[in-house]
Amino acid sequence: MGRGKVLLKKIENRINRQVTFCKRKTGLLKKACELSVLCDAEVALIIFSNSGKVSEYSSTSIGKTFQKYKEANAHRMERVETHKNSDIQYWQHEARKLRQETESLGNTISIWDLQQLEKLLEKSLACVRSKKDERLSDEIANLKRRDLFLQSQNQILMNAIERSEESTSRVELDSLAQGVVKNLLDINSGESQQYSSGNNLVIETALQLG
């Protein structure tokens, strides 16, 4: 008889929760090792318990893998910035093109056509403003969530520093700091993806109106 489906929610019983954590952690470390060996992949894994105790696995070196990740992330951010600049240049080009077409048609189209064009432009402008306000609201919400996250990560580091004065080794403290920085990089990655999605949505809207 197979095992029943596990309900994914916090285990309230502290002893059961600790037992499950140990079992799942061991299984996760084993899977990371197998992935590294079977697929010749560079794997780094850092786990923090709810008490702040750190466990880690690396197929090479945590520091080396983290440095490699930072370099890859820096390149990705450069590509995002390049994409942003290309979007600005595209819309500037489209604005100049539209202005030229409007000027060339100014002497050949009727008043009714001009009124329809004006309505279309007003509708497009309202759509762009709506998307801008939506992006600003999302950005403010993201900044608030990031501020709360940074506060919690800062508290974790402060607690780790206090524990290091008593028993925590330098390696464990470095691993904890690396884990915090990784979380920050994950947040930046999520925000970059959200920005890219927002740009695509604005472009699609503009094309539909066109």
Side-chain angles (χ1 to χ4, degrees):
M1 183 175 181
R3 296 176 57 187
K5 184 176 180 181
V6 177
L7 182 61
L8 292 180
K9 68 175 185 178
K10 180 180 178 181
I11 301 175
E12 298 298 335
N13 185 282
R14 184 178 61 84
I15 297 177
N16 292 342
R17 184 168 64 244
Q18 182 63 29
V19 171
T20 301
F21 173 77
C22 292
K23 289 182 179 179
R24 295 295 180 104
K25 180 186 71 174
T26 301
L28 185 58
L29 292 172
K30 181 180 178 182
K31 290 295 184 181
C33 180
E34 291 175 353
L35 176 63
S36 173
V37 175
L38 294 175
C39 302
D40 191 25
E42 184 175 346
V43 179
L45 174 64
I46 301 176
I47 304 174
F48 292 96
S49 67
N50 58 0
S51 62
K53 184 178 179 181
V54 62
S55 301
E56 64 181 51
Y57 165 80
S58 175
S59 57
T60 56
S61 167
I62 287 287
K64 178 182 177 182
T65 304
F66 179 65
Q67 181 63 30
K68 187 175 182 180
Y69 172 79
K70 288 199 299 184
E71 293 174 356
N73 189 65
H75 294 158
R76 182 186 57 77
M77 293 302 295
E78 290 177 0
R79 291 195 297 270
V80 170
E81 187 66 24
T82 301
H83 180 70
K84 177 181 177 181
N85 293 334
S86 65
D87 284 344
I88 294 175
Q89 294 175 359
Y90 170 79
W91 287 112
Q92 288 175 343
H93 172 73
E94 289 296 312
R96 288 193 297 268
K97 182 178 178 181
L98 181 60
R99 189 181 303 110
Q100 292 173 357
E101 292 178 353
T102 302
E103 291 175 354
S104 64
L105 292 174
N107 298 325
T108 59
I109 60 178
S110 65
I111 297 297
W112 186 87
D113 290 331
L114 288 174
Q115 291 175 342
Q116 296 302 312
L117 179 59
E118 181 182 13
K119 292 179 180 179
L120 178 60
L121 290 174
E122 290 176 350
K123 183 178 179 180
S124 299
L125 182 59
C127 181
V128 171
R129 286 173 175 170
S130 175
K131 295 301 179 184
K132 182 195 71 174
D133 293 340
E134 181 180 348
R135 287 293 308 280
L136 288 175
S137 298
D138 292 341
E139 186 67 19
I140 292 173
N142 287 334
L143 289 175
K144 289 181 178 179
R145 287 194 297 269
R146 184 170 183 174
D147 180 62
L148 293 175
F149 177 80
L150 288 174
Q151 292 179 12
S152 65
Q153 294 300 306
N154 181 64
Q155 186 61 45
I156 291 175
L157 282 176
M158 294 299 296
N159 293 338
I161 291 173
E162 292 177 357
R163 290 196 302 272
S164 69
E165 296 176 354
E166 299 176 358
S167 60
T168 305
S169 66
R170 178 64 182 178
V171 174
E172 291 177 336
L173 184 59
D174 291 342
S175 299
L176 178 61
Q178 291 170 4
V180 172
V181 175
K182 179 180 181 300
N183 289 337
L184 296 178
L185 293 176
D186 289 340
I187 286 183
N188 291 333
S189 176
E191 291 176 352
S192 298
Q193 293 176 0
Q194 183 181 12
Y195 169 80
S196 177
S197 300
N199 276 346
N200 292 337
L201 182 58
V202 172
I203 292 174
E204 291 175 1
T205 302
L207 291 175
Q208 291 174 0
L209 290 175

